[in-house]
Amino acid sequence: MSPTSPQARTRPAPLTGLRVLDLATLFAGPLAATMLGDFGAEVVKVEHPAKPDPSRGHGPSKNGVGLWWKLLGRNKRTITLDLSKPGGRRTLLRLAATADVIVENFRPGTLERWDLGWDELSAVNPRLVLARVTGFGQFGPYAHRPGFGTLAEAMSGFAAITGEPDGPPTLPPFGLADSIAALATAYAVMTALAARERTGEGQVVDMAIIEPILTVLGPQPIWYDQLGHVQPRTGNRSQNNAPRNTYRTADGGWVAVSTSAQSVAERVMRLVGRPELIDEPWFATGAGRARHADVLDEAVGGWIARHTRADVLAAFDRAEAAVAPVQDVRDVMDDPQYRALGTLATVDDPELGPLRMQNVLFRLSATPGAIRWAGRPHGADTEEVLAELGLSRTDVKALREEGAV
């Protein structure tokens, strides 16, 4: 069944009926909750009454409205609650009793200081899954430290292998470690929920942002353990194959070439008019080619420099060789493959009008996800959500007078 078929669109999303409380900020925890909401979970975003999620103010804004929040806050209802206040604590426990998942990223011990730790939360809801997303995890010598994705990118070994050989370690210009941790957290939550189906009991997910990025860095630890090998910075090159680099075209564009497969490497060399290199003994392995990257880059880069980017892409396509244009966001927004996949969606927003943003993360043929709305204003749904808990207007007024909402 096509993911866009009317029949698929009328079915409930796969996580319909799942209730998630998002208590987290910046960025791994909230993004994990967004991913759950994209596939039907009811996500209630809980923010401090006076200190909203800082992502509302991160990056460019339009008419005073933060655009990053429109993405990160999509498919979430927003309420305010000061968990350090007695009324806020009581209300959070009432919410927890109705929830399946809580995502939080306070420093270890903070919820416990407010008498909202696992003991208290599981007492009101033994089926609850509590996802705790922190920089360094819930225990160990660094657990008390403030943690951000940048620190994970540095600690994990990512920065050490990123950049030119004679340049400094390089950090990514976006939330890489946070995004990887968000994916891992969403996976961990679904794993814990699957376990709950068998046991009937919830549990705690301890997600340290420093760990998932280490996993995606590949075999560095086992290489070091077994061989003492420390991966160096190699710029755009790889130690495992060549040619592998970015190359400038005659019209000033850039393309990226990868030759992880031997057959592709051979096709590239025939395409650029250097088939004799295929017969070199060192060409038979990726590592051998990597040791002769200067020769291969000269051959490939020289040929690409004589052709326009459009001609390069067309020639590589005909040769069944792996290439991609180096695109900025302007190119991405108009790319025909992304357009065919529906990777970018248009969302009507009452504050800003039509917004284009990344669509849900993957396509399901029978029960697809969807963006139902973009990030809502701070506390927009407080009264509605509290009324659903059974709180009267008088109760809500008392919470406001206490500063709890």
Side-chain angles (χ1 to χ4, degrees):
M1 181 184 297
S2 166
T4 57
S5 70
Q7 190 175 358
R9 289 296 180 190
T10 58
R11 292 181 177 180
L15 299 185
T16 297
L18 192 74
R19 195 171 210 214
V20 178
L21 303 181
D22 174 8
L23 313 185
T25 59
L26 288 182
F27 285 97
L31 182 56
T34 300
M35 293 173 183
L36 299 174
D38 284 350
F39 286 89
E42 178 200 352
V43 181
V44 177
K45 174 73 175 181
V46 180
E47 298 174 85
H48 191 280
K51 294 177 283 188
D53 188 320
S55 67
R56 290 182 180 272
H58 265 56
S61 63
K62 181 180 179 182
N63 300 334
V65 178
L67 298 176
W68 200 335
W69 168 252
K70 288 296 178 182
L71 174 68
L72 192 63
R74 72 188 191 191
N75 292 336
K76 300 178 184 181
R77 293 198 289 171
T78 63
I79 71 168
T80 60
L81 209 58
D82 185 342
L83 304 183
S84 68
K85 304 282 188 182
R89 175 186 179 275
R90 290 193 302 271
T91 305
L92 192 278
L93 288 174
R94 292 183 68 164
L95 283 167
T98 71
D100 298 284
V101 179
I102 291 179
V103 181
E104 64 96 2
N105 71 338
F106 298 105
R107 284 200 218 179
T110 302
L111 284 183
E112 285 75 9
R113 189 168 68 248
W114 296 333
D115 292 326
L116 287 171
W118 176 242
D119 290 343
E120 291 82 7
L121 293 170
S122 61
V124 300
N125 186 353
R127 290 174 55 81
L128 184 68
V129 171
L130 174 62
R132 315 195 77 169
V133 186
T134 57
F136 305 104
Q138 294 296 309
F139 55 91
Y142 303 164
H144 68 284
R145 296 180 180 179
F148 298 100
T150 297
L151 308 188
E153 289 145 11
M155 278 186 62
S156 62
F158 172 85
I161 64 169
T162 304
E164 294 300 322
D166 57 351
T170 302
L171 296 167
F174 66 102
L176 177 64
D178 277 299
S179 299
I180 296 170
L183 287 162
T185 300
Y187 167 58
V189 165
M190 297 310 299
T191 301
L193 291 171
R196 189 181 73 173
E197 291 299 304
R198 296 195 306 274
T199 67
E201 297 178 350
Q203 60 184 297
V204 176
V205 171
D206 179 5
M207 180 62 65
I209 296 173
I210 61 172
E211 292 184 299
I213 188 171
L214 181 58
T215 296
V216 304
L217 284 174
Q220 288 190 56
I222 196 169
W223 281 346
Y224 180 75
D225 176 66
Q226 295 297 302
L227 302 172
H229 174 72
V230 178
Q231 184 174 339
R233 286 191 292 283
T234 56
N236 290 328
R237 289 179 172 177
S238 168
Q239 289 186 301
N240 304 311
N241 66 81
R244 192 263 196 182
N245 214 326
T246 58
Y247 305 94
R248 192 163 194 173
T249 61
D251 54 350
W254 291 86
V255 296
V257 173
S258 177
T259 57
S260 296
Q262 180 71 22
S263 59
V264 173
E266 292 175 4
R267 290 175 202 149
V268 170
M269 302 323 297
R270 293 190 186 100
L271 171 63
V272 302
R274 297 295 301 276
E276 76 280 3
L277 293 176
I278 299 171
D279 297 326
E280 295 286 347
W282 49 261
F283 196 90
T285 66
R289 297 197 307 276
R291 288 193 293 270
H292 294 79
D294 286 342
V295 174
L296 296 173
D297 274 347
E298 183 181 0
V300 175
W303 183 89
I304 288 175
R306 298 191 298 272
H307 298 80
T308 66
R309 189 169 80 165
D311 288 343
V312 170
L313 296 175
F316 269 71
D317 189 33
R318 289 192 299 271
E320 297 184 2
V323 70
V326 176
Q327 301 190 145
D328 64 19
V329 68
R330 293 168 295 185
D331 303 312
V332 169
M333 299 292 272
D334 198 41
D335 184 277
Q337 183 62 29
Y338 283 132
R339 195 182 312 122
L341 293 173
T343 306
L344 295 162
T346 300
V347 184
D348 287 325
D349 181 69
E351 289 186 288
L352 298 178
L355 306 172
R356 281 200 292 171
M357 64 177 68
Q358 299 94 317
N359 209 335
V360 300
L361 193 59
F362 48 86
R363 288 165 294 282
L364 296 179
S365 62
T367 55
I371 304 171
R372 301 183 296 283
W373 60 82
R376 290 174 54 69
H378 181 227
D381 304 292
T382 300
E383 294 194 9
E384 179 184 39
V385 171
L386 297 186
E388 292 169 359
L389 282 179
L391 273 68
S392 66
R393 290 189 176 182
T394 301
D395 296 329
V396 175
K397 181 180 178 182
L399 290 172
R400 290 195 185 281
E401 289 173 351
E402 184 190 357
V405 298

